């Protein structure tokens, strides 16, 4: 792309913070980094494509935030501490307004987590953003999907369902907007990666996943990988008053909570004897953490309403 070097310098290399473990950042053929001794590196890549993951007309700050949260949330779900990120950017044109807003929002969030941009690639084509994040894990600990055990309690952070409602409002703008509809739209783009909670769960939680495809689908990955089942009480699902108000129906709100994708909350399993950790973490990180069910023997997910079995057929979000 013409003016590529100027673009990289102007919007990216000039703004990234300098970590002491980065020997060589943007500007050479490769970055050179040095993890602390006795540290393992967790790596994850996520791509966002205009038209599939966001509207090409979406606010560039929202898009930057969403792209980075999707990646940070994967580190959070392993219990890893963010360190480095690379950015592969495909742009239809050199739009300075878009780039400025994108890069400002990108660094605002990256800096908050001490995440240094160490390299990337810039090409011309249909708008898409691909990030690779790397973070640190101690030698013996990680929050994997395959370690849930029968008897574990299942928890989720935050509230569920808002992201799907926000997406519906973005795709089909309401005739009358309100504080509630604005709040829900923002909840779709400005989710919070639970990075600190993930790290605090290391050594305590058995299994964890971030909710990107919907609770039922993502908890399903834990169950499959751990070869266990689960019981969820849908009346325990944490639902915001805004979602409840917008949908005007409690049953529907619970179904949203079960299926809403791109929530970037954590779902984790914890042995019952570690219960006391939860109120402590909720207080320390000022975040709601809710017990929603239990890991069981067998391979199925059963939904209950109080003690009554439910037979809802819920479908989670899939890009294809
Ligand atoms: P090469 O031709 O060796 O791949 P590039 O011209 O693609 O190098 O990139 C030059 C430098 O700028 C490299 O250090 C690369 O990592 C970095 N870079 C390119 N695009 C971006 C971007 N969007 N964000 C951050 N760094 C970038
Ligand atoms: Mg290149």
């Amino acid at each position: 792309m013409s003016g590529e070097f100027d673009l990289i310098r102007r919007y990216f290399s000039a703004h990234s913070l300098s970590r002491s473990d980065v020997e060589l950042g943007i500007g050479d053929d490769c970055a050179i980094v040095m993890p602390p001794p006795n540290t393992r590196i967790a790596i994850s890549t996520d791509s966002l494509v205009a038209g599939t993951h966001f509207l090409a007309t979406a606010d560039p700050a929202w898009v930057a935030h969403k792209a980075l949260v999707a990646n940070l949330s994967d580190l959070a779900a392993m219990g890893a501490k963010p360190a480095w990120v690379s950015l592969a950017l495909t742009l239809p044109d050199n739009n300075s307004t878009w780039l400025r807003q994108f890069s400002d929002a990108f660094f605002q969030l990256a800096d908050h987590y001490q995440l240094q941009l160490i390299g990337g690639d810039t090409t011309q084509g249909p708008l898409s953003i691909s990030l690779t994040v790397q973070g640190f894990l101690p030698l013996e600990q990680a929050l994997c999907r395959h370690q849930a055990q029968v008897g574990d309690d299942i928890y989720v952070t935050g509230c569920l369902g808002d992201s799907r409602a926000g997406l519906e409002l973005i795709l089909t703008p309401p005739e009358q907007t309100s504080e509630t509809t604005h709040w829900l739209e923002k909840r779709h783009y400005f989710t919070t990666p639970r990075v600190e909670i993930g790290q605090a769960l290391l050594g305590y939680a058995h299994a964890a996943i971030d909710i990107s495809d919907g609770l039922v689908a993502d908890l399903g990955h834990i169950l499959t990988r751990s070869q266990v089942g689960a019981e969820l009480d849908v009346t325990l699902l944490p639902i915001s008053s805004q979602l409840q108000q917008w949908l005007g129906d409690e049953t529907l709100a619970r179904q949203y909570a079960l299926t809403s994708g791109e929530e970037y909350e954590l779902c984790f399993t914890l042995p019952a004897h570690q219960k006391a950790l939860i109120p402590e973490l909720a207080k320390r990180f000022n975040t709601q953490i809710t017990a929603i069910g239990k890991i069981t023997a067998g391979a199925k997910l059963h939904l209950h309403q109080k003690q009554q079995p439910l037979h809802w057929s819920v479908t989670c979000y899939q890009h294809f």
Side-chain angles (χ1 to χ4, degrees):
M1 161 172 236
S2 67
E4 179 188 335
F5 297 109
D6 183 48
L7 182 157
I8 295 165
R9 187 186 49 75
R10 186 180 306 199
Y11 299 105
F12 296 106
S13 48
H15 299 277
S16 199
L17 48 83
S18 303
R19 292 174 57 102
S20 59
D21 49 23
V22 176
E23 280 181 25
L24 202 52
I26 295 171
D28 214 309
D29 296 313
C30 291
I32 302 179
V33 292
M34 187 71 174
N38 299 322
T39 304
R40 294 182 298 164
I41 300 180
I43 308 175
S44 173
T45 299
D46 249 306
S47 299
L48 258 66
V49 177
T52 303
H53 303 92
F54 63 94
L55 298 177
T57 52
D59 180 340
W62 288 16
V63 175
H65 192 96
K66 187 170 166 169
L68 207 41
V69 167
N71 281 266
L72 283 165
S73 176
D74 284 323
L75 291 181
M78 293 306 284
K81 185 173 186 190
W84 313 309
V85 61
S86 332
L87 165 65
L89 197 56
T90 307
L91 297 166
D93 50 32
N94 188 341
N95 177 336
S96 58
T97 312
W98 194 93
L99 277 161
R100 171 56 55 217
Q101 290 174 12
F102 178 89
S103 124
D104 284 351
F106 182 92
F107 287 113
Q108 199 182 338
L109 190 60
D111 290 359
H112 178 78
Y113 290 103
Q114 291 295 301
L115 185 69
Q116 180 172 343
L117 182 66
I118 56 169
D121 195 30
T122 309
T123 44
Q124 191 163 20
L127 181 59
S128 87
I129 298 137
S130 184
L131 294 177
T132 298
V133 284
Q134 302 186 55
F136 300 153
L137 276 174
L139 287 189
E140 310 293 341
Q141 294 169 338
L143 304 174
C144 297
R145 297 178 180 185
H146 65 273
Q147 284 166 339
Q149 288 177 23
V150 175
D152 282 358
D153 293 313
I154 304 169
Y155 292 88
V156 289
T157 59
C159 284
L160 299 180
D162 298 334
S163 185
R164 172 169 161 195
L167 180 62
E168 288 176 6
L169 285 162
I170 290 161
L171 295 178
T172 315
E175 276 169 26
Q176 276 206 325
T177 59
S178 65
E179 246 175 65
T180 303
T181 61
H182 287 304
W183 187 88
L184 289 168
E185 281 180 31
K186 274 201 153 181
R187 287 276 293 157
H188 179 73
Y189 283 105
F190 290 111
T191 42
T192 308
R194 303 300 186 184
V195 171
E196 297 88 353
I197 296 180
Q199 287 170 71
L201 288 171
L202 274 179
Y204 300 100
H206 280 155
I209 193 165
D210 64 316
I211 302 178
S212 54
D213 295 332
L215 175 66
V216 166
D218 290 316
L219 176 60
H221 295 312
I222 290 185
L223 303 186
T224 307
R225 297 290 302 275
S226 303
Q227 298 186 290
V228 291
E231 281 179 9
L232 290 190
D233 181 343
V234 300
T235 60
L236 299 177
L237 293 168
I239 289 162
S240 69
S241 58
Q242 288 88 342
L243 180 67
Q244 177 93 28
Q245 192 196 334
W246 183 66
L247 290 173
D249 181 286
E250 222 174 293
T251 300
L252 195 55
R254 288 183 186 141
Q255 292 178 345
Y256 269 53
L258 289 170
T259 56
S260 175
E262 299 175 341
E263 292 282 338
Y264 302 119
E265 297 295 349
L266 293 183
C267 172
F268 60 93
T269 82
L270 188 76
H273 70 268
Q274 299 286 10
K275 239 189 193 77
L277 179 68
I278 296 302
E280 193 194 305
L281 291 185
K283 191 168 168 217
R284 178 156 30 125
F285 300 111
N286 193 23
T287 303
Q288 190 177 343
I289 305 176
T290 313
I292 56 169
K294 265 196 175 307
I295 296 292
T296 57
K300 284 215 168 118
L301 173 64
H302 294 284
L303 300 179
H304 290 255
Q305 189 158 21
K306 305 253 162 66
Q307 307 298 334
Q308 300 297 316
L310 276 178
H311 300 287
W312 289 348
S313 140
V314 288
T315 316
C316 283
Y317 185 70
Q318 288 197 317
H319 292 295
F320 296 101

